[in-house]
Structures are given as C-alpha cells and as structure tokens.
Amino acid sequence: DIGGSTGLAAHDAEIFDPALNVTIMTTIHDLGVWPLRGGHVLQRAENMPIRFRNRFDFIFSNLAFNYMRYPDLALTNAIKALTRGGILSIIFSTEDSPLKYDFKEGELVHRINAQFKRLKKMEEAGIIKIRTFHKPTDNAYQRWLNGVRDPSGWLQLQRL
C-alpha cells in the first residue's frame, strides 16, 4: 500500500487473512503505527528500494499519488515491483503535486504525458494490460487518450 496512513486497514486485513502479508510505504513516521507482517517502509515511492522488484502481487494507493513530486517515477517503480500477473490499482491524480506549487506545472504535465506514452508502449508490447472502464471519465489512462493534459482517475493495470 503506497501511502497507507496508520496501517490500521492493512493490519485488520492481515488479521482476517493469515496468508496476507502487507507492506506500507509512507513518508510520515508517525503514521506507521500498526504492526504488519510486511512492515512499514519510510521512503518515497519515487525512490522505491530495488529489493521490491518483482515482489508484490497487488499494489494499491488511494491518494498518495496526489501529493507526489514525481508521480511518473513512483508509477514506474510500482510497475517494476509487481510480480507477473500482479495488479496495480491506484487513484492517479497530480492535483496537489509539489511541482505545481513550485510553478513547474509544465514539467509535471510533460512528465505525465511521457509516462502515459510509456504505458501505451508497454501495453502494445504485451508487458502490461491496462483495465478500461465503462465510464471513461473514471479512468486516468482513457482520459489521457482523449487529450486531457493532466488526467486524474483510477488507473488499474496488470503486469503480464
């Protein structure tokens, strides 16, 4: 879980399913308070440890991407962290990215556009499969395909 707050939901999930092993990645030390079998990693997803490559069957993030300076790097790292068949499910948004506050919104839009182009090439190459939705307005990738400069919405994909 990228940005998993206190870890309470992950902790409860581990209690309900003894086979579950949850790791939370966050930058706020005080939030990692509930014990988890997978532990808490106090680090930015943009700098995800190399030991996480091919390690996770499922990666989830509800709001963390909204606050990242470089969400494109975090997304690349999250995809690399997936096992074959692994699923990524995030709400992709850059509304509160520090790059916007640094008056570098053009850089942010450029980075996101380049990242979504890479996703398209990865899907065409059979590396990932991007999930589409019935309502394109709910899907960040479909919004990007439709020309939205700074797409936000769900982004779900599977590493093949």
Side-chain angles (χ1 to χ4, degrees):
D1 186 352
I2 298 174
S5 190
T6 64
L8 176 59
H11 174 76
D12 288 348
E14 283 187 341
I15 289 172
F16 290 122
D17 185 350
L20 204 56
N21 187 355
V22 179
T23 301
I24 285 183
M25 179 171 277
T26 185
T27 58
I28 304 169
H29 185 280
D30 295 341
L31 289 182
V33 296
W34 289 91
L36 297 172
R37 285 187 281 275
H40 297 266
V41 178
L42 299 172
Q43 191 165 346
R44 295 185 183 282
E46 294 100 317
N47 300 319
M48 194 175 288
I50 196 161
R51 72 180 186 274
F52 283 2
R53 292 226 174 129
N54 302 308
R55 183 170 168 189
F56 299 101
D57 297 321
F58 182 71
I59 295 176
F60 176 79
S61 183
N62 191 16
L63 286 174
F65 277 78
N66 193 41
Y67 303 103
M68 293 179 183
R69 181 173 299 275
Y70 303 112
D72 56 320
L73 297 178
L75 181 56
T76 295
N77 289 337
I79 293 170
K80 288 178 181 178
L82 288 172
T83 58
R84 288 193 181 269
I87 294 173
L88 173 76
S89 182
I90 63 172
I91 294 179
F92 190 86
S93 172
T94 59
E95 188 174 322
D96 291 315
S97 171
L99 281 181
K100 286 188 175 180
Y101 298 114
D102 293 345
F103 303 104
K104 296 181 180 176
E105 188 168 357
E107 178 185 348
L108 179 64
V109 169
H110 171 76
R111 294 176 77 92
I112 298 307
N113 188 49
Q115 178 64 26
F116 276 75
K117 284 180 182 176
R118 282 191 291 274
L119 290 178
K120 185 176 183 183
K121 287 180 182 177
M122 289 174 75
E123 185 169 46
E124 290 168 351
I127 298 168
I128 62 171
K129 172 67 179 148
I130 299 172
R131 180 174 179 234
T132 56
F133 297 83
H134 294 292
K135 266 179 68 178
T137 55
D138 293 341
N139 184 291
Y141 182 72
Q142 286 174 282
R143 290 174 50 116
W144 175 78
L145 286 174
N146 291 332
V148 176
R149 286 184 62 225
D150 190 3
S152 61
W154 278 103
L155 177 61
Q156 295 179 335
L157 59 86
Q158 181 175 23
R159 182 170 170 215
L160 304 176

